[in-house]
Amino acid sequence: MEQTLSIIKPDAVAKNVIGKIIDRFESNGLRVAAMKKLQLSRADAEAFYAVHKDRPFFGELVDFMVSGPVVVSVLEGENAVAKNRELMGATDPKEAAPGTIRADFAESIDANAVHGSDSLENAAIEIAFFFAKREIV
Ligand code: ADP
Ligand code: MG
């Protein structure tokens, strides 16, 4: 059993497709162990994406992540990290495989509907960023 962190980004929340995205997870062997909707502050977004702080798109990424509310979840299941990444599809929705969340719900490489942890180690860090232990059940 693994846990991973998922974020439904502001573009997908604005499109009112939270339920459709969560259904992709639940229909593919993942379960929601924790979930909340929140508005990230600029400090939250900068800290969460600190690994990308030297990338040219960092400013736009932070602007986008604070542009509206997000839904943050802990997803649990067998190979949850890789399974979530598979369901998400490639970072650029134009390159995302048909039937993936990004192919179906995302518009562009910056407004790409979802975030998912890229390793078990980062999943633990990202889960702790958003959730207290007692909130994960
Ligand atoms: P992923 O979200 O697939 O793990 P990365 O960790 O590489 O992708 O990038 C984090 C986020 O930064 C992406 O989801 C996307 O929103 C944004 N991003 C990545 N590359 C670019 C880019 N070339 N231009 C604009 N935004 C980007
Ligand atoms: Mg990433």
Side-chain angles (χ1 to χ4, degrees):
M1 273 307 216
E2 286 181 6
Q3 290 182 337
T4 189
L5 186 89
S6 165
I7 304 178
I8 301 178
K9 295 186 178 182
D11 58 323
V13 172
K15 276 188 183 169
N16 211 22
V17 293
I18 296 167
K20 286 183 175 155
I21 291 174
I22 297 299
D23 180 54
R24 300 289 175 100
F25 303 139
E26 293 185 332
S27 299
N28 288 279
L30 297 174
R31 56 178 291 283
V32 175
M35 178 181 271
K36 60 186 163 194
K37 186 180 189 184
L38 73 161
Q39 169 69 52
L40 296 181
S41 68
R42 186 158 286 273
D44 289 332
E46 286 174 355
F48 183 79
Y49 277 119
V51 292
H52 294 308
K53 68 178 187 307
D54 297 325
R55 308 274 288 272
F57 56 81
F58 183 69
E60 287 163 60
L61 175 58
V62 170
D63 288 344
F64 169 64
M65 290 301 290
V66 304
S67 67
V70 297
V71 172
V72 189
S73 316
V74 176
L75 303 176
E76 190 173 77
E78 232 171 86
N79 300 314
V81 172
K83 171 62 77 178
N84 181 37
R85 296 291 306 194
E86 182 190 318
L87 295 172
M88 288 164 59
T91 306
D92 185 348
K94 290 194 276 298
E95 286 162 20
T100 61
I101 293 167
R102 282 168 166 167
D104 291 345
F105 300 112
E107 303 304 328
S108 64
I109 193 164
D110 35 304
N112 63 1
V114 279
H115 166 85
S117 308
D118 61 6
S119 67
L120 205 47
E121 187 191 2
N122 284 335
I125 294 166
E126 292 179 358
I127 289 168
F129 185 86
F130 283 109
F131 293 99
K133 278 223 161 61
R134 70 175 183 283
E135 296 178 301
I136 305 167
V137 290

